[in-house]
């Protein structure tokens, strides 16, 4: 998969099936206490929000500047930036360096039921096949599982739904408790109200 899969396919399969993910680095993939949060990548925002509750609020601007570092995109861009820029700007696509990641002719007669979301997105963008009306196609369903979005949605889904549907926005200041703080000693260190809230809302301290 390392050589054969496109960056978009790796990112999608990692997010949905935990396959094709980059190997765990020896140090954190992002430094969450450095840099202007307004210019953080989508991947960095997701990591830092999940790990440190930093950078969770996302503005309405594009998550990536696809012109920045374009001359070194293959080695310099994150998987999520490659996928986003390829899908939205047709820049940084694996197909530009190697072969096409998907055969858009294969199974085209049954694309709605038979294709993955990644293949639909790629083939619509690059071959004008399997395109849904723009208003109806979204990478995430922001209504499904909304009652428990904090624990059920991936960080990328939270960011996308917050950006596009104003749902699932993680605003640390509005949460009554930080359920990661003191987690290693929650039984003795947390108040009863924090235990109840974190168990109900974050499935921690139960």
């Amino acid at each position: 998969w390392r050589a054969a899969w496109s960056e978009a396919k790796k990112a999608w399969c990692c997010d949905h099936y935990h396959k094709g993910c980059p190997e765990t680095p020896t140090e954190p993939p992002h430094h969450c206490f450095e840099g202007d949060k307004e210019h953080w990548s989508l991947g960095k925002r997701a990591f830092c929000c999940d790990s440190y509750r930093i950078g969770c609020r996302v503005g309405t601007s594009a998550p990536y500047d696809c012109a920045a570092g374009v001359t070194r995109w293959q080695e310099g861009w994150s998987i999520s930036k490659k996928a986003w820029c390829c899908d939205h700007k047709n820049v940084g696509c694996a197909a530009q360096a190697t072969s096409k990641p998907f055969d858009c002719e294969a199974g085209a007669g049954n694309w709605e039921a038979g294709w993955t979301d990644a293949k639909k997105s790629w083939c619509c963008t690059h071959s004008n096949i399997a395109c849904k009306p723009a208003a109806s196609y979204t990478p995430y369903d922001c209504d499904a599982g909304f009652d428990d979005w904090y624990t059920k949605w991936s960080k990328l889904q939270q960011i996308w739904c917050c950006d596009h549907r104003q749902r699932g926005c993680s605003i640390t200041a509005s949460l009554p408790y930080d359920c990661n703080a003191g987690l290693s000693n929650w039984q003795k260190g947390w108040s009863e109200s924090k235990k109840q809230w974190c168990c109900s809302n974050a499935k921690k301290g139960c």
Side-chain angles (χ1 to χ4, degrees):
W1 62 267
R2 290 179 183 85
W5 287 7
S6 69
E7 296 303 330
K9 182 174 181 179
K10 289 175 187 175
W12 191 90
C13 290
C14 180
D15 190 31
H16 291 82
Y17 295 101
H18 305 293
K19 296 185 184 297
C21 302
E23 283 78 6
T24 304
T26 55
E27 62 179 53
H30 302 286
H31 298 284
C32 301
F33 301 96
E34 299 175 3
D36 183 356
K37 295 179 185 66
E38 294 299 318
H39 298 99
W40 282 6
S41 68
L42 183 65
K44 182 172 181 176
R45 281 185 282 172
F47 173 82
C48 293
C49 180
D50 187 36
S51 301
Y52 302 102
R53 310 304 301 158
I54 296 173
C56 299
R57 283 199 79 175
V58 181
T60 57
S61 60
Y64 300 105
D65 178 356
C66 299
V70 70
T71 56
R72 294 184 62 251
W73 69 268
Q74 285 179 285
E75 60 272 9
W77 287 5
S78 66
I79 290 175
S80 55
K81 179 171 181 176
K82 289 174 185 174
W84 193 92
C85 289
C86 180
D87 285 346
H88 294 85
K89 303 293 183 183
N90 198 29
V91 175
C93 302
Q96 294 168 347
T98 57
S99 60
K100 294 181 179 180
F102 301 104
D103 179 356
C104 299
E105 300 294 327
N110 187 37
W111 66 267
E112 281 197 273
W115 286 8
T116 64
D117 288 341
K119 182 172 181 177
K120 291 173 187 175
S121 176
W122 195 91
C123 290
C124 178
T125 302
H126 298 278
S127 301
N128 202 30
I129 296 174
C131 298
K132 289 186 177 181
S136 66
Y137 178 74
T138 59
Y140 299 104
D141 182 347
C142 300
D143 295 318
F146 179 67
D147 290 342
D148 199 18
W149 66 267
Y150 185 75
T151 56
K152 298 298 184 187
W153 288 0
S154 69
K155 290 301 169 189
L156 292 177
Q157 180 172 357
Q158 291 178 24
I159 289 170
W160 193 93
C161 289
C162 181
D163 276 353
H164 295 85
R165 299 288 183 269
Q166 290 73 53
R167 308 197 86 189
C169 299
S170 297
I171 304 172
T172 305
S174 68
L175 300 178
Y177 301 103
D178 179 353
C179 299
N180 291 316
L183 182 60
S184 60
N185 189 37
W186 68 269
Q187 289 175 305
K188 293 182 180 179
W190 287 5
S191 66
E192 288 304 316
S193 58
K194 180 172 181 177
K195 290 175 185 176
Q196 290 176 2
W197 192 92
C198 289
C199 182
S200 297
N201 294 278
K203 303 296 184 278
K204 294 179 181 180
C206 298

